[in-house]
Amino acid sequence: MIQAILSVIQRNGKLLLRKKGLMIQPIVVPIVMLLLSAIIFGGGGDAWPIGLVNHSHSEEAASLVDSIQESHSNISPYFQLISTDEAETRKLINQGRIQLLIEIPENYPQTKTINIETFNINSDAMKNARLRLEHAINNRLAESKSLKIDYILQTEKEQDVWRSAYLGGSCVLLALFFGAIMLGANLYAFEYENRTRKEMLLTPLGAVLAGVGNMLTAILFAFITTIPTLLVAILFFRLTFNGWNATKVLLGMLPIMLACAGVGILLGRLFKKYRIIQPILVIVAIGTVVIGGGFVGVPLLPEFAQTFTDFWVFSRIFMWFNPLLHGFVDYLTWGQWIWITTAAILGVCLMVWSYTSETKHYMSGGQ
């Protein structure tokens, strides 16, 4: 039996390598999502682009400028100074090219007042930028003994990671489970489109064993199609991880990928044609990343997105495995393992139903 399943994996592997169109989406979609995140969410770094215009030539103003430019977290500077020219800075902020304009007026030594302008007032990104500026100013006032109310503001933690690294980790997870779904669906649909009913009924392995081979092929090649996304995330998005944590992520993702391969085979059974399945899964994958916790932790999502994550089970992959990958937590809970194991069993059941129901359909049709 094992040898028969291995023969299916070998045959499917040759098919996927020969029909490269079946593997394009699992490779391209996570990478595209990763690159888009750099543009839309500032995934390229953690320093907010700002303009800083100093109209005062006083020592106090110069000291404040230094404090702003030198402010940083434990992984990166808070701000990236783009321009000090007033006209250029106002043009850039109106275009949304920088996030914050800081203007120090000429009478700053007397008033201790500065003017700030943000590109978007109410977004979480702008709240974060203003908080960073407040932190820099408070540090300056504390150094000069001018801070009237002293408090401790925790702005960093030991496990802090780059935004780009978080996005990179999400897209690696996406590549794993999305690849398993897409490849499982593609293998079933390609088999349906290119084999006759008689061939499928008379297969010496039996339908279920053929399904097991397809599931294992989907998982194996999902790991292969994830390699480009992983390399991009490591080389260009500062993704780093502890080897032991990465091992625990892989162990947890294996049953998840088994479940996803079963879901993919079910979709192949329902839609029959991989050219129909592929665009549907691409759209669902993008939506899952955007409002399912792939770009930012679920507690920081808008209310409607948090409601979405309550019933959209794929969101739990980001919720559980991103913290484990980056070291925010050390292990999955027993409850999570029970959920993951149940999902894997359900995936196998979906595969069995897909193949056996199709066989019964053929037989009842008189073929």
Side-chain angles (χ1 to χ4, degrees):
M1 183 177 71
I2 295 177
Q3 185 176 0
I5 294 175
L6 290 176
S7 69
V8 175
I9 296 175
Q10 184 179 20
R11 183 194 68 199
N12 287 341
K14 291 179 180 179
L15 169 65
L16 291 173
L17 293 175
R18 186 173 69 252
K19 298 287 185 179
K20 295 182 175 58
L22 300 177
M23 297 176 61
I24 289 177
Q25 282 82 1
I27 294 175
V28 171
V29 171
I31 293 178
V32 169
M33 292 299 296
L34 190 50
L35 296 177
L36 283 176
S37 70
I39 299 172
I40 300 173
F41 293 88
D46 265 28
W48 292 110
I50 66 168
L52 180 56
V53 180
N54 184 10
H55 295 291
S56 176
H57 300 289
S58 64
E59 292 185 6
E60 293 93 333
S63 177
L64 177 60
V65 169
D66 289 340
S67 295
I68 294 173
Q69 290 182 310
E70 293 171 2
S71 59
H72 60 86
S73 70
N74 60 347
I75 57 176
S76 75
Y78 277 162
F79 304 111
Q80 178 187 6
L81 182 58
I82 303 299
S83 176
T84 58
D85 179 79
E86 183 175 9
E88 180 185 12
T89 300
R90 293 194 179 280
K91 178 181 178 181
L92 290 173
I93 198 167
N94 289 332
Q95 294 175 343
R97 303 298 296 275
I98 61 175
Q99 307 299 329
L100 190 68
L101 183 159
I102 305 170
E103 185 179 11
I104 303 176
E106 186 176 357
N107 62 349
Y108 171 74
Q110 291 76 40
T111 63
K112 296 295 189 292
T113 300
I114 64 173
N115 304 316
I116 65 171
E117 182 178 343
T118 58
F119 170 66
N120 183 304
I121 296 176
N122 292 318
S123 70
D124 288 335
M126 293 307 95
K127 295 172 185 176
N128 180 276
R130 294 196 298 271
L131 179 62
R132 293 182 179 197
L133 177 60
E134 178 185 344
H135 187 214
I137 293 173
N138 283 340
N139 283 344
R140 170 70 189 96
L141 294 174
E143 291 171 2
S144 63
K145 308 299 184 183
S146 302
L147 187 62
K148 296 180 180 179
I149 300 177
D150 195 5
Y151 62 92
I152 298 175
L153 178 64
Q154 185 175 6
T155 59
E156 56 188 56
K157 293 184 178 180
E158 183 180 353
Q159 306 97 328
D160 283 351
V161 298
W162 292 79
R163 283 198 314 277
S164 58
Y166 184 89
L167 300 174
S170 292
C171 289
V172 169
L173 294 173
L174 171 68
L176 289 171
F177 75 83
F178 171 70
I181 296 176
M182 180 68 81
L183 291 168
N186 283 346
L187 286 170
Y188 185 98
F190 189 85
E191 181 181 52
Y192 178 87
E193 291 185 61
N194 292 276
R195 297 179 67 189
T196 65
R197 294 184 176 186
K198 184 176 181 179
E199 286 176 325
M200 296 182 72
L201 284 171
L202 297 179
T203 175
L205 293 177
V208 173
L209 285 183
V212 172
N214 283 355
M215 292 184 79
L216 296 179
T217 304
I219 293 172
L220 173 62
F221 274 80
F223 280 111
I224 294 174
T225 56
T226 298
I227 292 174
T229 303
L230 178 63
L231 292 177
V232 171
I234 291 174
L235 295 175
F236 303 106
F237 285 78
R238 299 183 175 89
L239 176 63
T240 59
F241 43 79
N242 175 280
W244 178 231
N245 278 5
T247 301
K248 288 184 281 189
V249 168
L250 290 178
L251 290 175
M253 283 300 296
L254 277 172
I256 291 290
M257 294 169 71
L258 188 66
C260 289
V263 171
I265 289 174
L266 175 65
L267 293 174
R269 163 74 174 85
L270 296 176
F271 292 100
K272 301 293 196 300
K273 297 182 182 295
Y274 65 88
R275 292 178 182 85
I276 297 176
I277 295 170
Q278 289 177 340
I280 294 174
L281 284 179
V282 168
I283 293 172
V284 171
I286 293 172
T288 298
V289 175
V290 172
I291 59 175
F295 281 137
V296 68
V298 170
L300 299 178
L301 290 172
E303 183 177 353
F304 81 93
Q306 293 192 37
T307 302
F308 173 80
T309 61
D310 287 340
F311 69 87
W312 188 243
V313 294
F314 296 101
S315 299
R316 286 166 174 76
I317 298 174
F318 298 125
M319 292 168 59
W320 296 348
F321 287 95
N322 254 329
L324 183 60
L325 179 65
H326 297 296
F328 302 155
V329 299
D330 294 324
Y331 51 84
L332 297 172
T333 66
W334 282 110
Q336 290 168 341
W337 274 112
I338 292 173
W339 188 95
I340 290 170
T341 304
T342 303
I345 295 171
L346 179 60
V348 174
C349 292
L350 292 176
M351 179 275 294
V352 172
W353 180 87
S354 298
Y355 274 90
T356 55
S357 64
E358 192 71 18
T359 302
K360 291 178 181 177
H361 172 71
Y362 289 161
M363 294 179 66
S364 64
Q367 300 296 322

